[in-house]
Amino acid sequence: MELVNLKDSSEVVSFSQAVKQGLGRNQGLFFPTSLPKLDNVDALLEMPFQQRSAYILNTLIGDEFGEETVTEMVNNAFQFTAPLAHVADNVYSLELYHGPTLAFKDFGARFMAQCLAQVTGDNPVTILTATSGDTGAAVAHAFHGLDNIQVVILYPKGMVSVLQEKQFSTLGDNIHSVEIEGAFDDCQALVKQAFDDEQIKTELHLNSANSINIARLMAQVCYYFEAVAQLPAEKRAEAVISVPSGNFGNLAAAMIAKVMGLPIKRFIASTNVNDTVPRYLLSGLWEPKKTVATISNAMDISSPNNWPRIEAMFEQGLVDKALLTAESVDEDYTQIGVRQLNDLGYLSEPHAAVAYKALKRTLADDETGIFLGTAHPAKFKETVENILGTPVALPKALSDVANKELLSDSLPADFDALKSYMFTTLKA
Ligand SMILES: *Cc1c(COP(=O)(O)O)cnc(C)c1O
């Protein structure tokens, strides 16, 4: 697989290099120079999830690692399912929260850990990542206890849920969590600055586990095939997918799945009131505003990292721009969404509810709607309990961390402060 830097087309790298580097020169994202078209989609849809995913990832990247290795990586990473729940008539929920940290980030983070193990071998690596809530947990879990890998997780102070914070801030060992006095966009900007710092890059062997790392997106392509595979055969051609979006990695992966031949009729980019993309699609102007804290906090992002990848697919004629609409759902409607789903007998949480409300706004009767359940409802226990007035039980993965002590450090949103923290903590 060959990838090009979207900001500097003279930088062309292999998949291994892209995984190792994370970002290209000038903070440019890597994107495949071409995407393979699968000619056996119907047969693929009949396969079990792991086997199909190994086939897809082999087709995308197999030549560098070899078929056997990729298959083993997939089997190690994807040890949980992605069930499609039937919610109402023509509406389904793709539940992506059955992994160890109960959010879809487990798919990408665990596959990325497998890739990184392949490409770095025994060399030391520092992973620096920003989280709006769920990446931190998935990455911390995927890399905890691994030799030669140090992980630094930046998160916005007071803007992640209590349980999310517990999931990535109580492990210790090689996992260092740092609350930043700022919003997620500040955390993300610090990560990008670190990638521009030659000293950090070379002395600490910097890598990122954010969705800027192409390994994560490649993994996420697989569960869109799994979603369509679980639809009744006669409904497959009319699937409309609503993706609750923050950094837009998940939507980028959905579009890659379509380019590879998965039948998806159209896409809905669902956001909360942090609506840079919905406004952009209407006006053509990219005008991020100050990030607002919402109950769907993993989407409290106003400068989405992965948008250039989506734009690239439009520009290269891979995806018709008309197939994407965007909807911003405010806090009241998010709560209404959680309640409506509950009335349908389906327990959800704010991110899924945003995607559900956005889907319902435009779904036609002859279409089949799939919204993504990106996190387990219990991850947002307090919010969901407040909305529904009924208790939400904690699964074991969460009750285990609920009473553990937080081990986070605290820093201002300042690059020099972060740099000196990293050298003191990681070089020790
Ligand atoms: C990360 C996250 C999102 C946003 O996904 P992107 O790929 O960043 O758009 C949505 N919901 C939940 C629960 C998340 O953790």
Side-chain angles (χ1 to χ4, degrees), residues 201-218:
K201 246 171 45 179
T202 51
E203 290 183 28
L204 297 179
H205 309 280
L206 196 61
N207 197 294
S208 165
N210 277 16
S211 51
I212 51 183
N213 196 299
I214 195 72
R216 280 182 51 175
L217 290 206
M218 296 292 104

mmCIF file of all heavy atoms in Angstrom, residues 201-218:
data_model
loop_
_atom_site.group_PDB
_atom_site.id
_atom_site.type_symbol
_atom_site.label_atom_id
_atom_site.label_comp_id
_atom_site.label_asym_id
_atom_site.label_seq_id
_atom_site.Cartn_x
_atom_site.Cartn_y
_atom_site.Cartn_z
ATOM 1 N N LYS A 201 10.562 14.479 18.408
ATOM 2 C CA LYS A 201 10.343 13.430 17.413
ATOM 3 C C LYS A 201 11.485 12.418 17.416
ATOM 4 O O LYS A 201 11.261 11.210 17.419
ATOM 5 C CB LYS A 201 10.203 14.045 16.021
ATOM 6 C CG LYS A 201 8.823 13.847 15.480
ATOM 7 C CD LYS A 201 8.437 14.557 14.225
ATOM 8 C CE LYS A 201 9.355 14.577 13.059
ATOM 9 N NZ LYS A 201 8.728 15.333 11.931
ATOM 10 N N THR A 202 12.713 12.927 17.442
ATOM 11 C CA THR A 202 13.834 11.997 17.317
ATOM 12 C C THR A 202 14.224 11.390 18.663
ATOM 13 O O THR A 202 14.421 10.185 18.758
ATOM 14 C CB THR A 202 15.049 12.680 16.677
ATOM 15 O OG1 THR A 202 15.309 13.893 17.390
ATOM 16 C CG2 THR A 202 14.789 13.031 15.238
ATOM 17 N N GLU A 203 14.292 12.205 19.709
ATOM 18 C CA GLU A 203 14.775 11.643 20.983
ATOM 19 C C GLU A 203 13.737 10.762 21.669
ATOM 20 O O GLU A 203 14.073 9.813 22.366
ATOM 21 C CB GLU A 203 15.228 12.772 21.929
ATOM 22 C CG GLU A 203 16.496 13.438 21.435
ATOM 23 C CD GLU A 203 17.010 14.509 22.398
ATOM 24 O OE1 GLU A 203 16.759 14.404 23.618
ATOM 25 O OE2 GLU A 203 17.649 15.454 21.910
ATOM 26 N N LEU A 204 12.468 11.078 21.487
ATOM 27 C CA LEU A 204 11.442 10.261 22.150
ATOM 28 C C LEU A 204 10.750 9.280 21.184
ATOM 29 O O LEU A 204 9.861 8.550 21.569
ATOM 30 C CB LEU A 204 10.399 11.164 22.822
ATOM 31 C CG LEU A 204 10.898 12.066 23.956
ATOM 32 C CD1 LEU A 204 9.770 12.925 24.507
ATOM 33 C CD2 LEU A 204 11.525 11.254 25.078
ATOM 34 N N HIS A 205 11.155 9.291 19.910
ATOM 35 C CA HIS A 205 10.571 8.387 18.906
ATOM 36 C C HIS A 205 9.047 8.500 18.915
ATOM 37 O O HIS A 205 8.322 7.546 19.208
ATOM 38 C CB HIS A 205 11.003 6.939 19.169
ATOM 39 C CG HIS A 205 12.474 6.799 19.323
ATOM 40 N ND1 HIS A 205 13.326 6.756 18.255
ATOM 41 C CD2 HIS A 205 13.253 6.769 20.431
ATOM 42 C CE1 HIS A 205 14.568 6.684 18.687
ATOM 43 N NE2 HIS A 205 14.550 6.691 20.007
ATOM 44 N N LEU A 206 8.602 9.683 18.560
ATOM 45 C CA LEU A 206 7.195 10.027 18.708
ATOM 46 C C LEU A 206 6.292 9.328 17.700
ATOM 47 O O LEU A 206 6.629 9.193 16.528
ATOM 48 C CB LEU A 206 7.053 11.544 18.538
ATOM 49 C CG LEU A 206 5.755 12.151 19.027
ATOM 50 C CD1 LEU A 206 5.584 11.905 20.516
ATOM 51 C CD2 LEU A 206 5.742 13.648 18.745
ATOM 52 N N ASN A 207 5.147 8.920 18.186
ATOM 53 C CA ASN A 207 4.109 8.383 17.312
ATOM 54 C C ASN A 207 2.770 8.863 17.850
ATOM 55 O O ASN A 207 2.693 9.290 18.988
ATOM 56 C CB ASN A 207 4.155 6.849 17.329
ATOM 57 C CG ASN A 207 3.409 6.263 16.164
ATOM 58 O OD1 ASN A 207 2.204 6.404 16.073
ATOM 59 N ND2 ASN A 207 4.114 5.635 15.265
ATOM 60 N N SER A 208 1.756 8.809 17.029
ATOM 61 C CA SER A 208 0.450 9.210 17.508
ATOM 62 C C SER A 208 -0.528 8.066 17.331
ATOM 63 O O SER A 208 -0.449 7.325 16.362
ATOM 64 C CB SER A 208 -0.067 10.404 16.722
ATOM 65 O OG SER A 208 -1.447 10.534 16.973
ATOM 66 N N ALA A 209 -1.434 7.932 18.259
ATOM 67 C CA ALA A 209 -2.462 6.903 18.099
ATOM 68 C C ALA A 209 -3.797 7.553 17.782
ATOM 69 O O ALA A 209 -4.841 6.932 17.860
ATOM 70 C CB ALA A 209 -2.559 6.068 19.365
ATOM 71 N N ASN A 210 -3.773 8.819 17.418
ATOM 72 C CA ASN A 210 -5.018 9.498 17.045
ATOM 73 C C ASN A 210 -5.534 8.948 15.734
ATOM 74 O O ASN A 210 -4.841 8.221 15.041
ATOM 75 C CB ASN A 210 -4.761 10.999 16.863
ATOM 76 C CG ASN A 210 -4.805 11.710 18.195
ATOM 77 O OD1 ASN A 210 -4.729 11.069 19.219
ATOM 78 N ND2 ASN A 210 -4.936 13.005 18.156
ATOM 79 N N SER A 211 -6.732 9.387 15.386
ATOM 80 C CA SER A 211 -7.287 8.884 14.122
ATOM 81 C C SER A 211 -6.555 9.498 12.933
ATOM 82 O O SER A 211 -6.881 9.218 11.795
ATOM 83 C CB SER A 211 -8.790 9.132 14.045
ATOM 84 O OG SER A 211 -9.102 10.472 14.335
ATOM 85 N N ILE A 212 -5.534 10.327 13.186
ATOM 86 C CA ILE A 212 -4.654 10.706 12.088
ATOM 87 C C ILE A 212 -3.803 9.512 11.676
ATOM 88 O O ILE A 212 -3.257 9.498 10.592
ATOM 89 C CB ILE A 212 -3.743 11.921 12.432
ATOM 90 C CG1 ILE A 212 -3.009 11.708 13.738
ATOM 91 C CG2 ILE A 212 -4.546 13.190 12.467
ATOM 92 C CD1 ILE A 212 -2.156 12.915 14.172
ATOM 93 N N ASN A 213 -3.693 8.512 12.537
ATOM 94 C CA ASN A 213 -2.924 7.322 12.144
ATOM 95 C C ASN A 213 -3.788 6.434 11.246
ATOM 96 O O ASN A 213 -4.863 5.977 11.632
ATOM 97 C CB ASN A 213 -2.432 6.541 13.361
ATOM 98 C CG ASN A 213 -1.332 5.573 12.963
ATOM 99 O OD1 ASN A 213 -1.559 4.679 12.159
ATOM 100 N ND2 ASN A 213 -0.143 5.782 13.493
ATOM 101 N N ILE A 214 -3.257 6.188 10.065
ATOM 102 C CA ILE A 214 -4.048 5.505 9.035
ATOM 103 C C ILE A 214 -4.457 4.088 9.463
ATOM 104 O O ILE A 214 -5.487 3.574 9.025
ATOM 105 C CB ILE A 214 -3.273 5.488 7.692
ATOM 106 C CG1 ILE A 214 -4.193 5.121 6.521
ATOM 107 C CG2 ILE A 214 -2.065 4.567 7.744
ATOM 108 C CD1 ILE A 214 -5.180 6.198 6.144
ATOM 109 N N ALA A 215 -3.690 3.482 10.368
ATOM 110 C CA ALA A 215 -4.024 2.108 10.801
ATOM 111 C C ALA A 215 -5.406 2.058 11.435
ATOM 112 O O ALA A 215 -6.150 1.083 11.274
ATOM 113 C CB ALA A 215 -2.979 1.592 11.790
ATOM 114 N N ARG A 216 -5.746 3.103 12.159
ATOM 115 C CA ARG A 216 -7.049 3.101 12.819
ATOM 116 C C ARG A 216 -8.181 3.141 11.803
ATOM 117 O O ARG A 216 -9.163 2.411 11.914
ATOM 118 C CB ARG A 216 -7.159 4.281 13.788
ATOM 119 C CG ARG A 216 -6.454 3.978 15.100
ATOM 120 C CD ARG A 216 -6.571 5.089 16.103
ATOM 121 N NE ARG A 216 -7.937 5.546 16.328
ATOM 122 C CZ ARG A 216 -8.265 6.449 17.239
ATOM 123 N NH1 ARG A 216 -7.339 6.987 18.003
ATOM 124 N NH2 ARG A 216 -9.512 6.816 17.391
ATOM 125 N N LEU A 217 -8.040 4.002 10.805
ATOM 126 C CA LEU A 217 -9.106 4.093 9.801
ATOM 127 C C LEU A 217 -9.272 2.794 9.039
ATOM 128 O O LEU A 217 -10.397 2.379 8.742
ATOM 129 C CB LEU A 217 -8.797 5.208 8.799
ATOM 130 C CG LEU A 217 -8.871 6.639 9.266
ATOM 131 C CD1 LEU A 217 -9.169 7.545 8.094
ATOM 132 C CD2 LEU A 217 -9.902 6.833 10.342
ATOM 133 N N MET A 218 -8.149 2.157 8.705
ATOM 134 C CA MET A 218 -8.236 0.910 7.938
ATOM 135 C C MET A 218 -9.045 -0.133 8.726
ATOM 136 O O MET A 218 -9.883 -0.830 8.169
ATOM 137 C CB MET A 218 -6.824 0.371 7.653
ATOM 138 C CG MET A 218 -5.964 1.266 6.778
ATOM 139 S SD MET A 218 -6.510 1.406 5.076
ATOM 140 C CE MET A 218 -7.246 3.020 5.046
#
